[in-house]
Amino acid sequence: MSAVHKPRKKPKRVSGTDTSSSPLGFAIVSEGSLQKPAFPLASFFWPARKGTSQWILLPLTLMVAGLFRWATGLWGYSGFQTPPMHGDFEAQRHWMEITKHLPMAKWYFYDLEYWGLDYPPLTAYHSWLLGIIGSLFDPSWFALDSSRGYESANLKVFMRASVLISEYLVYIPSLVILSRKLAKVGGINIWESSIALMAILMQPSTILIDHAHFQYNTVMLGFALASISSMLAGRYFWSCVFFVASLGFKQMALYYAPVVFAYLLGVCFQPKINIVRFLGITTTTLLSFVILFAPLILGAYYNHYKQSELNETILPPDLLHLIQHFIPFELNQKSVLYPAFLHLSQSIHRTFPLARGLFEDKVANLWCALHTVYKLNRFPVSTLSRLSLLATFLAITPACLSILLFPRKKALPYAFASCAWGFFLCSFQVHEKSVLLPLLPMSILLGAEGGLSGETRAWVGWANALGVWTMFPLLKRDELRMPYAVLSLLWAWLLDLPPASITLYQAESKAIPFPTKVLHLGFYGVMLGWHLVEGFAPPPSQKPDLWVVLNCIIGAVGFGVCYLWCTWQLLMKSGASEYLEKSWGRVEEIDKGVVEKVEGSKAEGKVERKGGRRGR
């Protein structure tokens, strides 16, 4: 007889955002029997808290975020009508021009004085693709050499659209998936997760830099988010692939590299040793780098042997001469390996320009702030680079050790933020825009466990307000004061934060400790005061950069506080602080036992001596 067929039970489908069966979240406040949204952004999502499908809510969220991005792009951009070098807009357009028209052998060598390509290969491939697509609309946009400084309304639309589409292909999907992973890890309902997603999408710094000033940072950040999401899902091989892609697009992703290495190494040895996983991660990483550089190297070999006249115009970089001292064979143009070493060394040399100095412009980090008090340019670049390396190593060590020894998923965003802040404050050649890297992992805390609570929301909001404020001098040069004000104030209002509201910091509020209230409100007051002084009081003639320098010093102090907060939270979330407390307790117990033993021995000795005297 055949067994009776029993239909499989269908799992309960949770497609909506119903929070009726969930505990009261941080986005809802209760006044007696009445429930209401805790801040304005939650008010916009209030009708969706019961039964609204994600197939409706998510597209609406992405449409609103896209609308604000496109509206921001209607303003000017970096270098608009400012010859001869223009700005970042022209740099990106120029890379599309040279990658479309020139062979790969010349990409990293062509006219380096005029916006020479200085990003890793994935940016070059991205520029090549966009140059081909853009030329289908108008070949004059990317005509070799003759298109330099080209500005037109149609070109601006294409370039703005390329940023938006690139972001929606990489950054947005990665952020959506990560927000769902964080919600699952932290036990957060979909409604609050959607609110956090919208808050992260409306982060003002990212919108202003990519869609106003003009860059493609969100592609690099999107790959980094995909790497974090893969870590949370336990897909460590994919995490390696995505992070290599992030590094391959912009070298600034190195801000995250130590933590990625430490976490992936930690999961290979915690809770038990897994050699197969370790070998798989190592192999996947190496193969990813090989695939990343393969088109560049193959193109170099093709041009080296098929178009030998190019070899005479290419000068080897200094890095190639340095490599020669560490390999057992001679490298010359007749060597089989010469094209590979030549183009690898040139791409690395262009990506990490140590000759530019410790910093180029005024930026709110340790070195620029210190330079205002004690001039650092009296030291050679080699000394400053070593000092920067040492300071960066010390700054990132707590994050790396914590996540290596205690690789917990809940601690990952804090580890990324702490490490990135350490790099931003102490590393070599930092730009104002690099603040996007530590701000991103801090912002995704909104979607983690307790992310919409008063304290976390206050810290994330304060860090973002400080970050965009330090970029104001850069945005002012691009005539972007209006979008700066609108997006910054809008984000503050949506999350019920200063300067739009001080409800979260009022005396009766117990969500935030009193010292934090004093610190944050003090900085908000200083930032508002600085804007008033900068807007209405000209600086002294002998110190024309006084207001910008003050901006850097104040920002550096604030970012240092952000670093300390993220590091402390990491120690708490990872379990490192608990381990240290237990270790310290054991040390105290051992010390106490030793002391008791010594005192007991002394007491026994006294008794023996007294007994001896009585016997005599």
Side-chain angles (χ1 to χ4, degrees):
M1 288 180 63
S2 60
V4 179
H5 172 70
K6 292 183 179 181
R8 185 177 59 181
K9 290 183 179 181
K10 294 183 178 180
K12 188 178 291 184
R13 185 181 178 188
V14 184
S15 60
T17 58
D18 191 358
T19 62
S20 58
S21 60
S22 302
L24 198 65
F26 293 106
I28 302 175
V29 293
S30 181
E31 295 181 356
S33 60
L34 181 66
Q35 294 182 356
K36 65 177 185 178
F39 44 90
L41 183 58
S43 301
F44 285 101
F45 284 81
W46 192 253
R49 73 189 187 282
K50 292 184 179 180
T52 302
S53 171
Q54 283 295 291
W55 292 105
I56 297 175
L57 188 59
L58 183 60
L60 289 175
T61 300
L62 300 184
M63 286 169 62
V64 172
L67 177 63
F68 277 98
R69 281 158 167 73
W70 191 257
T72 303
L74 297 177
W75 289 82
Y77 49 80
S78 172
F80 178 64
Q81 295 183 348
T82 55
M85 294 300 291
H86 299 275
D88 284 344
F89 181 93
E90 169 61 13
Q92 300 288 344
R93 188 213 60 78
H94 179 62
W95 295 344
M96 298 175 196
E97 166 196 338
I98 62 175
T99 53
K100 179 187 181 298
H101 289 284
L102 297 177
M104 287 186 179
K106 279 196 170 185
W107 282 6
Y108 284 97
F109 292 90
Y110 186 75
D111 197 1
L112 301 181
E113 297 299 321
Y114 186 81
W115 295 118
L117 183 59
D118 55 4
Y119 278 171
L122 195 54
T123 287
Y125 308 150
H126 179 254
S127 299
W128 169 78
L129 179 61
L130 293 179
I132 291 177
I133 296 173
S135 296
L136 298 177
F137 294 97
D138 190 342
S140 64
W141 293 346
F142 307 110
L144 187 62
D145 294 336
S146 62
S147 63
R148 292 188 178 185
Y150 189 94
E151 293 178 329
S152 71
N154 290 336
L155 174 61
K156 178 182 176 181
V157 169
F158 171 78
M159 297 289 281
R160 294 295 196 195
S162 69
V163 175
L164 190 65
I165 294 172
S166 298
E167 179 173 349
Y168 270 72
L169 288 176
V170 181
Y171 179 79
I172 300 295
S174 301
L175 182 57
V176 171
I177 295 172
L178 178 60
S179 67
R180 298 296 181 254
K181 294 294 182 184
L182 289 172
K184 184 177 180 181
V185 171
I188 303 167
N189 61 64
I190 298 298
W191 181 68
E192 283 202 348
S193 179
S194 300
I195 296 172
L197 174 63
M198 188 65 192
I200 300 168
L201 288 173
M202 291 302 296
Q203 182 197 27
S205 300
T206 304
I207 298 176
L208 287 168
I209 291 300
D210 274 25
H211 298 277
H213 175 82
F214 196 87
Q215 280 197 341
Y216 294 93
N217 291 297
T218 48
V219 178
M220 176 263 296
L221 295 175
F223 284 126
L225 290 177
S227 180
I228 299 174
S229 179
S230 299
M231 292 179 193
L232 295 178
R235 300 186 180 96
Y236 303 118
F237 297 167
W238 277 110
S239 176
C240 299
V241 172
F242 288 129
F243 190 71
V244 169
S246 183
L247 274 175
F249 196 84
K250 281 198 174 186
Q251 62 270 32
M252 291 190 301
L254 279 171
Y255 282 31
Y256 302 141
V259 162
V260 174
F261 172 79
Y263 182 81
L264 292 178
L265 184 63
V267 297
C268 292
F269 296 96
Q270 298 284 350
K272 61 181 181 180
I273 299 176
N274 192 329
I275 298 298
V276 175
R277 178 182 292 172
F278 175 78
L279 294 176
I281 288 174
T282 304
T283 304
T284 303
T285 302
L286 293 175
L287 285 176
S288 299
F289 274 111
V290 168
I291 294 171
L292 174 67
F293 282 93
L296 184 68
I297 301 303
L298 292 176
Y301 273 104
Y302 175 82
N303 291 307
H304 184 80
Y305 291 107
K306 298 296 182 181
Q307 302 180 33
S308 57
E309 68 274 6
L310 292 177
N311 300 334
E312 302 174 0
T313 63
I314 293 179
L315 297 176
D318 295 335
L319 181 60
L320 186 61
H321 299 301
L322 180 63
I323 293 174
Q324 179 68 72
H325 297 293
F326 296 95
I327 55 178
F329 52 88
E330 183 180 357
L331 277 177
N332 52 53
Q333 290 193 1
K334 295 181 179 179
S335 173
V336 176
L337 295 177
Y338 181 77
F341 276 94
L342 174 66
H343 288 82
L344 278 175
S345 60
Q346 177 67 0
S347 62
I348 295 172
H349 172 73
R350 291 293 302 162
T351 303
F352 300 101
L354 294 179
R356 292 182 184 177
L358 192 58
F359 55 88
E360 285 186 271
D361 208 347
K362 295 176 179 62
V363 59
N365 77 338
L366 172 66
W367 307 119
C368 191
L370 185 61
H371 183 71
T372 61
V373 180
Y374 185 83
K375 301 304 178 185
L376 298 175
N377 52 10
R378 67 184 67 184
F379 300 105
V381 174
S382 58
T383 301
L384 294 176
S385 63
R386 294 190 186 98
L387 182 62
S388 171
L389 179 63
L390 176 62
T392 304
F393 175 77
L394 294 176
I396 67 176
T397 296
C400 294
L401 283 180
S402 298
I403 208 67
L404 171 65
L405 300 176
F406 307 95
R408 296 184 180 178
K409 294 179 179 180
K410 291 183 179 181
L412 262 178
Y414 297 97
F416 271 76
S418 174
C419 186
W421 280 124
F423 263 97
F424 181 83
L425 288 168
C426 304
S427 65
F428 202 86
Q429 269 291 310
V430 174
H431 296 269
E432 310 99 316
K433 295 158 283 191
S434 301
V435 77
L436 296 178
L437 284 110
L439 286 181
L440 178 64
M442 276 200 78
S443 297
I444 65 176
L445 290 175
L446 294 172
E449 182 182 5
L452 295 179
S453 65
E455 185 174 8
T456 303
R457 187 154 43 95
W459 276 101
V460 173
W462 177 69
N464 274 279
L466 187 65
V468 73
W469 177 75
T470 58
M471 290 191 292
F472 177 78
L474 171 69
L475 299 171
K476 180 184 176 183
R477 289 199 297 268
D478 298 335
E479 298 295 334
L480 296 172
R481 283 168 288 194
M482 183 61 71
Y484 160 82
V486 171
L487 290 173
S488 301
L489 292 174
L490 174 65
W491 203 72
W493 176 74
L494 288 173
L495 295 180
D496 203 25
L497 297 170
S501 171
I502 60 170
T503 304
L504 198 59
Y505 292 89
Q506 288 178 348
E508 61 271 14
S509 174
K510 298 181 181 179
I512 306 174
F514 180 74
T516 302
K517 292 180 182 180
V518 174
L519 174 70
H520 288 187
L521 291 176
F523 266 89
Y524 280 119
V526 169
M527 287 188 281
L528 287 174
W530 181 89
H531 271 303
L532 291 175
V533 173
E534 188 273 339
F536 297 101
S541 57
Q542 65 273 20
K543 295 182 178 179
D545 295 330
L546 178 61
W547 306 145
V548 180
V549 171
L550 285 176
N551 181 291
C552 294
I553 295 174
I554 296 167
V557 173
F559 292 152
V561 174
C562 290
Y563 164 75
L564 294 175
W565 181 81
C566 291
T567 304
W568 174 251
Q569 291 296 319
L570 169 63
L571 295 176
M572 299 295 290
K573 299 290 183 180
S574 65
S577 61
E578 182 181 350
Y579 175 80
L580 291 174
E581 288 178 4
K582 290 181 179 179
S583 301
W584 180 251
R586 285 195 292 268
V587 170
E588 288 183 336
E589 289 178 2
I590 293 172
D591 290 343
K592 186 178 179 180
V594 170
V595 171
E596 290 177 351
K597 188 174 182 180
V598 170
E599 290 178 350
S601 300
K602 289 181 179 178
E604 290 177 0
K606 290 180 180 179
V607 171
E608 290 177 359
R609 286 194 296 272
K610 287 181 180 179
R613 284 196 295 269
R614 288 196 189 99
R616 290 194 295 272

